[in-house]
Amino acid sequence: MTRYKTFQTADALAYALEHTDRFAGLDSTALTSEEFGDGNLNLVFRISHPDGASLILKQALPYARCVGESWPLSVDRARIEAEAMLIESQLCPALVPEIYHYDAELAVTIMEDLSDHQILRQAMVEGKRFPTLMHDMAVFLADTLFFTSDLYLDPAEKKQRVAQFINPDLCKITEDLFFLDPYCDHERNNYYPGFNERASKLWSHTALKAEIADLKYRFLTKTQSLLHGDVHAGSIFVREGSTKVIDAEFAYYGPAGFDIGSYIGNLLLNFCAQWGLMDDEDARNNYRRWILEGIDSFWNTFADRFTGYLAENTNDPSLNNLHWQSRLMQRIWHDTLGYAGAEMIRRTVGLAHVKDLDVISDHTRQLQAAGQALVLGEALVMQRRQLDNMGDVLTMLSGLVEY
Ligand code: SR1
Ligand code: MG
């Protein structure tokens, strides 16, 4: 019989005290425990002592928190998250929180408290800039996507990893929310009043639906790399000089471009949302340029690093072929653009929105910003194979959105 039970704040505190030494030597009666998770799926507790020691205890619920018990979910996602984070922390220790303890049965992970950081989405809503963010994310994605793939791993080990990260429940969320709902009149869809006509155009856009089918099929079938699986701006903590990627519960083996595209799609969503977030036109255009230049430098750093790994660390002699490697980079690039576009579309009409657009107070501006996201998203999906480099993307973007 499983020991699983849903934690209350007192359970979380007692469990953390018993299973970590973070509070050793401190008066345990002074510890406090609060549940502050506002994400879609889990309970998240912060246990802290007035002297400054603290930790985060995350517990997976057996259902999707944002919907309720009518949407059951396996708590095996806690195992997947902890095991993926351990691999990520071996590959890029500075870019993920430290894990102190993990319990598969209780679906509990205890990790470093990142309260001195801020969630990237909120920071970008506030118009903040982080000089090392783009470099850090390029390193995180290049290293995790290369060193978990057949380009580096022994084929037998890689196949074992594919099995280790079979994640049907969480993949199903993405398969539905990303690739199905926005393209039909689904009851889960959620769009702003006045956006109905724009949303319904998606449902009959035959050519777009064919491209989305292509992206979904690759998501379903392409076991290229161990993905984080949910690299949106709410899964990244930032502070000056530090970036930490959290929430790897959607991890599975899939197309590398899905992670890269999710990240770029979220940056572009903020780019569009700034239309309604920042009143001062000069400040807004400046911030928008920072985002676009950031995406450019992010991709260049990613591509240089990944290409360097291909040259130096590809173990399979058949894959050690320069012509094929350059074709591979081109395919990852096209996937990246497609998944970035699909992320932008699903965040404007699907179930899970982004705060960037939701908090815009002027309704007209909100509709315009969401409209920009939809137009850009569609263009990225539809034109991805004709966009050879970031310069082409920026030219296309400046033809669609004024900045
Ligand atoms: C029901 S979960 C909704 C969304 O939240 C997660 O972070 C994923 O992005 C998912 O699509
Ligand atoms: Mg999450």
Side-chain angles (χ1 to χ4, degrees):
M1 213 176 79
T2 172
R3 287 153 57 230
Y4 185 87
K5 66 163 192 166
T6 303
F7 274 10
Q8 305 297 321
T9 48
D11 303 317
L13 194 158
Y15 188 89
L17 206 49
E18 191 182 341
H19 292 93
T20 73
D21 58 6
R22 304 300 298 170
F23 305 115
L26 296 172
D27 172 13
S28 63
T29 61
L31 288 173
T32 55
S33 170
E34 53 160 344
E35 202 286 316
F36 69 101
D38 63 353
N40 291 321
L41 302 178
N42 307 298
L43 294 173
V44 187
F45 301 90
R46 180 183 294 110
I47 325 286
S48 51
H49 190 277
D51 283 2
S54 63
L55 54 77
I56 296 297
L57 185 150
K58 179 170 175 180
Q59 185 180 41
L61 288 167
Y63 52 86
R65 179 178 187 163
C66 63
V67 176
E69 295 187 27
S70 63
W71 190 337
L73 282 181
S74 159
V75 295
D76 186 44
R77 69 183 186 275
R79 172 192 68 77
I80 287 180
E81 175 171 9
E83 291 179 3
M85 280 177 74
L86 286 173
I87 292 174
E88 291 167 358
S89 66
Q90 280 156 10
L91 294 171
C92 15
L95 300 175
V96 284
E98 192 182 337
I99 295 198
Y100 303 139
H101 177 79
Y102 154 62
D103 186 322
E105 257 190 289
L106 286 170
V108 158
T109 308
I110 304 183
M111 65 190 105
E112 182 182 357
D113 181 14
L114 297 171
S115 297
D116 58 339
H117 290 60
Q118 188 181 16
I119 285 288
L120 175 62
R121 188 177 307 291
Q122 179 60 32
M124 289 187 75
V125 166
E126 293 167 18
K128 293 185 183 159
R129 301 170 196 222
F130 296 89
T132 61
L133 170 70
M134 302 300 174
H135 178 267
D136 290 346
M137 288 308 295
V139 170
F140 177 81
L141 289 167
D143 292 18
T144 57
L145 297 173
F146 181 85
F147 290 105
T148 60
S149 74
D150 284 297
L151 299 162
Y152 177 74
L153 291 178
D154 168 76
E157 189 187 352
K158 189 263 183 165
K159 287 177 180 68
Q160 251 172 21
R161 292 245 184 127
V162 173
Q164 178 187 355
F165 289 102
I166 294 289
N167 194 356
D169 283 14
L170 284 269
C171 283
K172 173 89 169 95
I173 292 180
T174 306
E175 288 150 21
D176 288 347
L177 300 193
F178 226 94
F179 302 109
L180 174 71
D181 298 2
Y183 306 97
C184 62
D185 186 7
H186 203 284
E187 61 186 12
R188 276 188 299 246
N189 282 339
N190 167 26
Y191 37 84
Y192 306 120
F195 212 64
N196 323 37
E197 210 176 304
R198 301 203 71 148
S200 63
K201 280 201 177 131
L202 295 174
W203 310 335
S204 53
H205 195 325
T206 317
L208 179 67
K209 286 166 75 161
E211 293 303 333
I212 293 295
D214 189 56
L215 291 164
K216 182 172 186 176
Y217 193 62
R218 290 173 78 72
F219 181 87
L220 287 163
T221 58
K222 196 161 185 63
T223 58
Q224 192 168 33
S225 299
L226 176 62
L227 306 190
H228 172 283
D230 199 23
V231 189
H232 64 82
S235 297
I236 302 168
F237 267 108
V238 279
R239 74 163 155 67
E240 179 88 26
S242 173
T243 307
K244 305 272 185 188
V245 182
I246 60 163
D247 274 9
E249 64 215 318
F250 282 76
Y252 89 112
Y253 263 83
F258 183 79
D259 269 3
I260 316 165
S262 297
Y263 176 61
I264 292 181
N266 275 268
L267 296 175
L268 290 175
L269 280 162
N270 186 272
F271 171 93
C272 296
Q274 288 303 337
W275 181 249
L277 291 173
M278 228 179 253
D279 289 338
D280 182 89
E281 194 180 335
D282 285 343
R284 180 173 66 238
N285 286 340
N286 252 321
Y287 193 67
R288 284 180 140 191
R289 266 193 295 275
W290 176 75
I291 295 175
L292 296 184
E293 284 164 14
I295 295 174
D296 191 28
S297 93
F298 158 76
W299 172 260
N300 288 333
T301 310
F302 170 84
D304 284 353
R305 204 169 167 96
F306 203 91
T307 309
Y309 290 147
L310 281 169
E312 300 294 325
N313 299 85
T314 302
N315 289 321
D316 184 324
S318 325
L319 306 181
N320 232 327
N321 177 303
L322 276 183
H323 294 291
W324 174 79
Q325 289 181 354
S326 99
R327 223 184 294 159
L328 172 72
M329 288 309 291
Q330 194 70 0
R331 283 193 194 139
I332 292 178
W333 165 249
H334 290 150
D335 280 355
T336 294
L337 298 182
Y339 291 120
E343 169 71 349
M344 297 180 78
I345 295 171
R346 71 111 171 190
R347 297 292 190 179
T348 58
V349 298
L351 171 76
H353 275 219
V354 289
K355 189 174 188 182
D356 317 46
L357 291 168
D358 278 358
V359 298
I360 298 174
S361 52
D362 178 324
H363 186 57
T364 306
R365 286 252 167 187
Q366 184 179 51
L367 286 183
Q368 289 166 341
Q372 290 176 10
L374 205 52
V375 165
L376 256 183
E378 266 188 55
L380 286 169
V381 172
M382 294 300 295
Q383 296 174 37
R384 67 190 187 284
R385 290 188 208 85
Q386 285 79 53
L387 300 168
D388 285 335
N389 50 50
M390 195 54 83
D392 287 352
V393 174
L394 298 182
T395 308
M396 178 205 81
L397 188 145
S398 59
L400 294 173
V401 180
E402 194 188 315
Y403 73 97

